[in-house]
Amino acid sequence: MQDTSGAQPIQTDALVIGAGPAGLFQVFQLGLQGIRCHVVDALPHVGGQCAQLYGDKPIYDIPGIPVCTGHELVQLLQRQVAPMDAQLHLSQQVAQLQRMDDGRWLAQTSQGLELHARSVFIAAGVGAFVPKALKVPGVERLAAGQLHYHPADLDMVRGRTAIVHGGDEEAVAAAIACADRAQTTCLLYRRDAFQASAPLLERLQELRDSGAIRVVIGQITQLHADSGLLRAVQWMDGEGQEHELAAQQLVVCLGISPRLGPVAEWGLAMERKQLLVNPATQATDAPGIYAIGDIVSYPGKHKLILCGFHEATMAAFAAAEYLQGEKPLLQYTTTSARLHAILGVSHPDA
């Protein structure tokens, strides 16, 4: 899966909003119906809260898998959906969604991507996960490309003076990665206690001892820039004294938080910040729009991953009938040559 966004609007039969476990399984179920789709997610990687909030914690209630971590579940789902060749558009939100004159849905993202979709599947969990922003004077004066929130790629620090701000595993991993690329690397956090796995903490200590990473204990109070170019980060120590650190690139890893965001503005029926759906089809009150996972509400709804998987299946069958004009034939992956072809596996009778 890769991002193929371009200047022209993307035409697609299905748009999936959210790339958590439910969204990924929605891609799989749509693929079994012969429906290819595009996927938009606010995070720079797939997995949603399953990967972001409990990636290393054990999960025990996935059918057929006695135990797996959040990361392991996401990896398995990625393998499962690979044959569906869905196109990913990460690090962006669907900011606007409105019906077009021909009945399709126009979706515009925060990065300027425009999609024309015949059907839409909202799998946004408890909302889009967005990075916690750095709110200090001087942020607004920075030109683009110098302040980065939870970046998936750190090549922009190569040969530069880099500061990583944060204290969790992602911040520690970012600092370690910067040490191999940046001219100098500083890890700045409010206390000298980092939440990360033992191997990462051991590596961080090695780099601290060698001088490859400088750890500074304090809080950022201001950014200084010349003509939009980051020059220095001002920070305060525990005694209230202000200091400056030279900086050309600033990587901020302060965690993420869910926000319902633009979904509430799309005119869909909601109750207590959840979308109302028909549990038989997962259809919202708007034609061609379906919703699954933690963002939906209906009598008897339970917020469990396995329930999201069931809802994705119901939504895919309903959408196939909506898009194709007839009820799809129920086929089984154990025996269907058509499904085997979609999955790229050999038919047992071949």
Side-chain angles (χ1 to χ4, degrees):
M1 291 191 256
Q2 59 183 355
D3 192 333
T4 58
S5 60
Q8 296 299 316
I10 293 173
Q11 313 297 323
T12 182
D13 282 333
L15 166 64
V16 177
I17 301 173
L24 291 174
F25 197 66
Q26 185 69 78
V27 170
F28 178 76
Q29 286 294 331
L30 288 170
L32 293 182
Q33 297 295 334
I35 302 170
R36 290 195 174 187
C37 57
H38 286 251
V39 184
V40 174
D41 196 280
L43 290 173
H45 52 74
V46 302
Q49 65 175 320
C50 185
Q52 193 71 33
L53 300 185
Y54 46 95
D56 296 315
K57 294 182 180 179
I59 302 172
Y60 299 98
D61 62 348
I62 304 300
I65 305 176
V67 60
C68 67
T69 65
H71 286 312
E72 289 169 343
L73 177 60
V74 172
Q75 291 168 1
L76 289 170
L77 285 165
Q78 286 182 280
R79 286 174 53 192
Q80 188 174 39
V81 305
M84 308 312 175
D85 196 29
Q87 303 301 306
L88 288 176
H89 308 282
L90 302 177
S91 298
Q92 53 193 307
Q93 290 180 263
V94 174
Q96 297 182 39
L97 185 65
Q98 58 190 49
R99 199 173 188 194
M100 302 170 66
D101 292 339
D102 61 5
R104 291 181 299 165
W105 290 93
L106 167 62
Q108 293 178 311
T109 77
S110 54
Q111 297 296 325
L113 182 67
E114 184 173 309
L115 302 101
H116 297 172
R118 295 179 64 204
S119 61
V120 177
F121 301 80
I122 303 173
V126 292
F129 282 91
V130 295
K132 293 181 180 178
L134 179 65
K135 298 179 180 179
V136 297
V139 169
E140 70 285 352
R141 293 194 295 272
L142 288 184
Q146 300 166 88
L147 174 60
H148 312 275
Y149 292 101
H150 301 265
D153 190 320
L154 288 164
D155 277 348
M156 69 283 186
V157 306
R158 194 173 299 279
R160 304 295 186 88
T161 301
I163 294 179
V164 177
H165 182 36
D168 63 6
E169 181 152 332
E170 195 167 1
V172 172
I176 292 172
C178 285
D180 291 332
R181 298 170 172 83
Q183 184 178 46
T184 62
T185 299
C186 174
L187 177 57
L188 191 157
Y189 189 50
R190 57 186 172 83
R191 57 195 184 97
D192 195 357
F194 299 95
Q195 301 298 317
S197 64
L200 281 178
L201 292 177
E202 290 174 5
R203 180 57 179 157
L204 173 62
Q205 189 60 53
E206 291 174 359
L207 293 170
R208 292 179 69 171
D209 293 342
S210 69
I213 292 179
R214 176 188 176 190
V215 172
V216 171
I217 309 306
Q219 298 198 57
I220 296 178
T221 57
Q222 189 171 348
L223 302 182
H224 297 288
D226 295 327
S227 301
L229 298 179
L230 180 63
R231 172 177 56 81
V233 169
Q234 184 173 319
W235 62 281
M236 179 187 296
D237 63 26
E239 298 180 352
Q241 299 296 313
E242 296 278 352
H243 310 267
E244 281 193 11
L245 284 168
Q248 295 173 306
Q249 295 285 316
L250 177 58
V251 177
V252 176
C253 300
L254 295 177
I256 61 172
S257 58
R259 297 179 187 172
L260 187 59
V263 175
E265 303 170 1
W266 295 344
L268 302 174
M270 303 190 74
E271 182 180 82
R272 297 179 180 178
K273 297 184 178 181
Q274 291 178 294
L275 295 170
L276 297 176
V277 298
N278 178 346
T281 61
Q282 297 305 125
T284 67
D285 62 334
I289 297 186
Y290 306 83
I292 66 171
D294 288 354
I295 200 168
V296 307
S297 176
Y298 55 81
K301 164 68 180 179
H302 295 290
K303 292 187 176 182
L304 296 169
I305 294 175
L306 60 91
C307 292
F309 292 162
H310 164 75
E311 292 158 4
T313 305
M314 302 300 286
F317 273 87
E321 183 173 358
Y322 173 78
L323 294 173
Q324 299 162 8
E326 59 182 2
K327 191 173 182 178
L329 178 67
L330 177 61
Q331 299 183 58
Y332 302 97
T333 57
T334 51
T335 57
S336 170
R338 173 182 168 275
L339 296 185
H340 289 166
I342 290 174
L343 296 170
V345 297
S346 299
H347 194 283
D349 297 329

